[in-house]
Amino acid sequence: MVQIEISSTRSSEKDKQEATRLKAEANKAFTSHDFLRAAQLYSEAISHNPGDPTLFCNRAYTRIKLEEHGYALHDASRAIELNPKYAKAYYRRAMCHIQILKPQLAVADLKKVVALEPQNAQVRKELDSTQKLVRKIEFEKAIEMEEEKSAVERCLEIIAEGSCEVDKNYEGPKLATTDDGKYKITIEFIRSMIQWFKDGKTLPRRYAWEIVIGAHDQFVKEESLVPVNIDKDVTIDVIGDVHGQFYDVLHLLSLTGEPSEKHLLLMNGDLVDRGSWSIEVILTAFAFKCKSSLPLLVWLYPKNMFINRGNHEAKEMNRTYGFEGEAKHKHGEQTYKVLPLATLVGATCPPAEKQNVILSPDGVKRYFVTHGGLFSKDGVTLDEIRAIKRIGRQPGTEGLMCELLWTDPQESPGWGPSKRGVGIAFGPDVTRRWCELNGVTSILRSHEVRQDGYAIEHDGLCTTVFSAPNYVDQGGNKGAFIRIDAEGTQQYIQFEAQPHPNVRPMAYQAGGLASLMM
């Protein structure tokens, strides 16, 4: 987004009138959910009247809607500089701090709002919940230092004790058992489970645990960079963010088809949060995962279903954007963070056209698929990515793991600050150097809304794919996925949003953030 430099806060009456006119247009664009246009109009208004704090505060809100939390933080701070008693600006800055995983800083801003508006019960409630969140984070850090048992170990103990049995009155789809008592998943169970979810019902906690623990066992066997080769007559579909939009995922699966030996699926992170059916989405994805040696469960598709981690597959994000609340509501608090960080999708047949194409050392196309993007330095190799120790770890706010999940492409060369406030932005020259170093044809990433569902960037070396149409019921965007064959040829398939039950996004997230995002 273009930044307009401000040299003075003094404006003529004519400029102030033009700023007022532009502000009114921006407000209309915002109301129509055209947030890009609204941000542009607020920027033009600021150029005419840079001394008006409401323009910066309104643009901050718009940038929150665009998930440009770093930019929004700057705007809210500028509004506070212009008017140190602007309660709304402090509140929006507090929400930005929460969204960039710095709730400690949010506490000070919320206290300021309470001081300015002592009768504001909602902000007092928000302050209390944020202070509790800070204490919880500090407590969890202390527990981690004491090496407390993992959630998987605790669940297995509870199951072994017989404390998580299926209710005898449960009438939904049932996992079959083998002769030796192990649970067995079938495609018939998955299809029945999906229908059960469509009917607004939940699985027993035991079944949910079995599915997630079984998936966990598979993911811990995989490297942080998973190799996938596309044999002749085989295709793979790369799916971007779906964010708990279960009914759109069902439509998506009707277009991709179920995973099979001839057709693979790769979900590129951010399966959860924001949408209010994240449990249904992630259990469906995990249920399509592989045949396991786990004693508890026999799985279905060993090498046909792949899932990368996104920045929303993280404890801190789940607290903020709804999945933690949804998990507690439907199945309990346990979550598992072992997903691979990237997938290297390799063709096995030479491409028909090789001119100006970066090929692997074997002379075929290959694609690096990760949720966010590249790094804050040159020279990072595939072997370094493969060796990242991810099991049981959160991505944090710096380092290779964080950057894989958080970074974004930019049009200008080199590196730039993140509009999100976490990670960095990388330019087309950075992308080319990395692809040439590693023999990678192109980077396929997600992480950002694209109005057409996908966008080809950086001279074709970086493609963004986003698979949550009409994102959070207000984006107006299409969804898309990318199909790749054995020669590495890409096909882009778009789809529209589908109707869903009358449940708002982030329905399980209490407090001001949920309303701020809607």
Side-chain angles (χ1 to χ4, degrees), residues 1-3 35-36 38-40 43 59-76 92 95-96 99-100 274 321 406 408-409 417-422 447-450 471 517:
M1 185 176 295
V2 176
Q3 300 288 318
F35 302 123
L36 283 170
Q40 180 182 8
S43 296
R59 191 172 68 174
Y61 193 11
T62 305
R63 285 173 162 172
I64 290 172
K65 294 287 190 177
L66 292 169
E67 300 187 13
E68 296 175 348
H69 307 129
Y71 288 170
L73 187 67
H74 179 273
D75 279 346
R92 288 177 179 168
M95 295 302 101
C96 290
Q99 291 176 86
I100 63 173
R274 297 198 182 276
Y321 292 97
W406 275 96
D408 296 298
S418 170
K419 62 189 177 185
R420 301 174 186 270
V422 181
H447 197 37
E448 291 183 279
V449 179
R450 293 292 186 261
Y471 182 42
M517 296 306 299

Side-chain angles (χ1 to χ4, degrees), residues 4-9 46-47 49-51 56 59 74 78:
I4 296 176
E5 297 295 329
I6 301 167
S7 58
S8 171
T9 58
I46 287 169
S47 70
N49 188 10
F56 287 96
R59 191 172 68 174
H74 179 273
R78 181 59 179 153

Side-chain angles (χ1 to χ4, degrees), residues 114-179:
V114 170
L116 291 169
E117 299 181 353
Q119 305 303 317
N120 194 325
Q122 178 60 43
V123 175
R124 285 186 178 276
K125 182 179 178 181
E126 192 72 28
L127 172 60
D128 181 62
S129 66
T130 305
Q131 290 173 320
K132 288 179 180 177
L133 172 60
V134 171
R135 291 194 293 270
K136 182 177 181 180
I137 292 171
E138 293 171 349
F139 175 71
E140 288 176 349
K141 285 181 179 178
I143 288 177
E144 288 173 3
M145 293 296 291
E146 296 170 7
E147 297 184 351
E148 175 144 317
K149 291 179 182 178
S150 72
V152 170
E153 290 175 310
R154 295 199 301 272
C155 289
L156 288 172
E157 288 180 355
I158 292 169
I159 290 171
E161 292 167 358
S163 301
C164 190
E165 297 301 309
V166 178
D167 192 308
K168 294 180 180 180
N169 296 321
Y170 170 65
E171 297 181 348
K174 293 182 171 61
L175 281 171
T177 55
T178 61
D179 293 339

Side-chain angles (χ1 to χ4, degrees), residues 104-268:
Q104 298 89 342
L105 298 178
V107 170
D109 281 337
L110 291 171
K111 285 182 176 179
K112 186 67 175 180
V113 179
V114 170
L116 291 169
E117 299 181 353
Q119 305 303 317
N120 194 325
Q122 178 60 43
V123 175
R124 285 186 178 276
K125 182 179 178 181
E126 192 72 28
L127 172 60
D128 181 62
S129 66
T130 305
Q131 290 173 320
K132 288 179 180 177
L133 172 60
V134 171
R135 291 194 293 270
K136 182 177 181 180
I137 292 171
E138 293 171 349
F139 175 71
E140 288 176 349
K141 285 181 179 178
I143 288 177
E144 288 173 3
M145 293 296 291
E146 296 170 7
E147 297 184 351
E148 175 144 317
K149 291 179 182 178
S150 72
V152 170
E153 290 175 310
R154 295 199 301 272
C155 289
L156 288 172
E157 288 180 355
I158 292 169
I159 290 171
E161 292 167 358
S163 301
C164 190
E165 297 301 309
V166 178
D167 192 308
K168 294 180 180 180
N169 296 321
Y170 170 65
E171 297 181 348
K174 293 182 171 61
L175 281 171
T177 55
T178 61
D179 293 339
D180 56 359
K182 299 174 186 176
Y183 278 111
K184 179 175 65 174
I185 196 165
T186 64
I187 191 62
E188 289 76 21
F189 170 81
I190 293 178
R191 291 168 180 165
S192 297
M193 178 185 72
I194 288 172
Q195 184 58 53
W196 188 251
F197 289 158
K198 288 175 67 177
D199 293 339
K201 301 175 182 178
T202 60
L203 288 181
R205 180 178 295 185
R206 174 63 180 271
Y207 282 6
W209 282 14
E210 295 280 6
I211 291 171
V212 175
I213 293 170
H216 172 275
D217 184 71
Q218 286 303 310
F219 292 131
V220 296
K221 296 175 184 176
E222 295 178 334
E223 297 176 313
S224 290
L225 176 61
V226 177
V228 178
N229 291 325
I230 310 303
D231 295 325
K232 188 176 181 181
D233 299 324
V234 175
T235 56
I236 184 170
D237 289 341
V238 179
I239 298 166
D241 303 38
V242 295
H243 277 298
Q245 296 184 193
F246 179 64
Y247 294 86
D248 294 317
V249 169
L250 295 185
H251 179 55
L252 173 61
L253 289 173
S254 75
L255 300 175
T256 63
E258 296 167 349
S260 68
E261 292 183 359
K262 292 292 186 181
H263 186 64
L264 318 182
L265 297 183
L266 167 55
M267 301 188 77
N268 194 28

